[in-house]
Amino acid sequence: LIIYATYILVRQKVKRKMRLLEKQIAVDAERQRISTDMHDEIGSGITRIALMSELMQIKQRTKSDLMDEIKSISTSAHKLVETMSEIIWALNPQNDTLENLLAYIREQSQQHFEPFDLQFDIDFPEEVPYVKLSNQERRNLFLATKELLNNALKHSEATVISLSFYVNRNQLCFSVSDNGIGINQQKIREGSNGIRNLRKRMNDINGSIEWIPLNPGTLVNYTMTLNANTTISTFVGVF
């Protein structure tokens, strides 16, 4: 009995140490990811603004050139503020649910499309299951959605762009479609930088993405498979 009791106590102690170690590893990985985001996205934006400002001081410019460069600096500054806002939103633990993610996507995308003369449709369910998402999952899903909508707006020449979402068992399924000129299939096969980045972004969160040609237009399906330990609660929030 003494030997068995000692074995149980030692086993429990080892399990506690393993859980603490796993938490520390997860915290370190999250810190590294945040550091990378700050360096890659915010650092590059600040560097760009600094370089453009220095060039304005060094080189002779006409009034027209100066106005163009000031406009470029202003655009970069607004983009930097937008990126910082997105990172802060993703880091806020109060935004760690699927419902909050969908609400944020709806708000940001509607504001983005408002100035343009085209039809933008969002098809989200009225009731959303309670699912907790990590910072990386929320940020990658949001950025993938943002990039796909921007691509459709800039390159498709579409008059109608649609965004939809539904839950299929243990999968979160998004899709972006348009009625535009379609996408170059050779570009998909070879994998442009944008396509490679989108695939990597989805792979990093146990997801996948595919481009499907329509007549007319393009459909992009991107799906994240939930972790086996993640459960979809029967509680639903009204969206």
Side-chain angles (χ1 to χ4, degrees):
L1 288 174
I2 292 173
I3 293 172
Y4 180 71
T6 303
Y7 166 75
I8 293 297
L9 290 173
V10 170
R11 187 179 177 185
Q12 289 177 345
K13 189 175 181 180
V14 170
K15 283 185 175 180
R16 282 197 297 270
K17 287 185 176 180
M18 289 297 295
R19 284 196 294 268
L20 289 174
L21 181 59
E22 288 172 355
K23 287 181 180 179
Q24 186 59 49
I25 291 173
V27 169
D28 290 343
E30 185 65 12
R31 285 175 176 170
Q32 179 62 37
R33 188 189 66 78
I34 293 170
S35 176
T36 302
D37 280 350
M38 299 289 281
H39 177 272
D40 292 347
E41 300 188 41
I42 296 180
S44 62
I46 293 174
T47 301
R48 176 177 170 80
I49 292 173
L51 287 174
M52 288 189 294
S53 300
E54 290 173 4
L55 287 173
M56 286 178 64
Q57 299 175 43
I58 295 171
K59 295 184 178 182
Q60 295 292 329
R61 293 286 192 274
T62 64
K63 184 176 180 180
S64 176
D65 290 337
L66 283 173
M67 291 304 296
D68 289 340
E69 291 178 356
I70 290 172
K71 184 177 180 180
S72 295
I73 291 175
S74 176
T75 300
S76 296
H78 282 296
K79 186 175 181 181
L80 184 59
V81 170
E82 183 180 327
T83 299
M84 291 177 64
S85 176
E86 291 166 3
I87 292 175
I88 292 170
W89 174 83
L91 292 175
N92 189 338
Q94 295 181 351
N95 298 324
D96 64 353
T97 64
L98 173 63
E99 183 178 4
N100 285 331
L101 170 64
L102 295 180
Y104 189 69
I105 288 175
R106 178 188 287 274
E107 176 186 2
Q108 295 298 311
S109 58
Q110 286 180 332
Q111 287 179 2
H112 184 69
F113 277 88
E114 188 174 356
F116 299 99
D117 184 22
L118 56 78
Q119 180 179 333
F120 176 56
D121 299 324
I122 298 181
D123 183 15
F124 287 171
E126 292 186 2
E127 295 182 335
V128 180
Y130 181 82
V131 180
K132 293 196 72 172
L133 301 171
S134 69
N135 296 342
Q136 185 182 24
E137 289 169 341
R138 296 198 312 275
R139 181 157 167 74
N140 281 19
L141 286 171
F142 172 75
L143 290 178
T145 302
K146 178 181 176 182
E147 185 168 351
L148 288 168
L149 290 174
N150 280 336
N151 288 344
L153 180 62
K154 290 180 180 178
H155 307 299
S156 71
E157 301 179 17
T159 57
V160 179
I161 296 175
S162 301
L163 168 65
S164 64
F165 167 81
Y166 65 94
V167 178
N168 181 21
R169 296 184 181 179
N170 67 330
Q171 291 186 322
L172 307 182
C173 304
F174 290 83
S175 68
V176 171
S177 62
D178 64 72
N179 66 343
I181 60 175
I183 188 169
N184 188 329
Q185 293 300 307
Q186 184 67 25
K187 187 176 180 181
I188 295 176
R189 286 191 291 270
E190 293 178 353
S192 65
N193 288 335
I195 289 174
R196 279 196 296 268
N197 290 340
L198 282 165
R199 283 177 172 153
K200 183 181 184 306
R201 197 176 289 284
M202 294 307 299
N203 287 336
D204 287 346
I205 57 172
N206 194 29
S208 62
I209 185 168
E210 63 174 345
W211 284 260
I212 302 171
L214 302 176
N215 187 20
T218 304
L219 169 66
V220 186
N221 292 324
Y222 51 113
T223 302
M224 189 192 89
T225 302
L226 296 173
N227 189 288
N229 297 324
T230 304
T231 57
I232 299 179
S233 173
T234 53
F235 167 80
V236 293
V238 176
F239 181 68

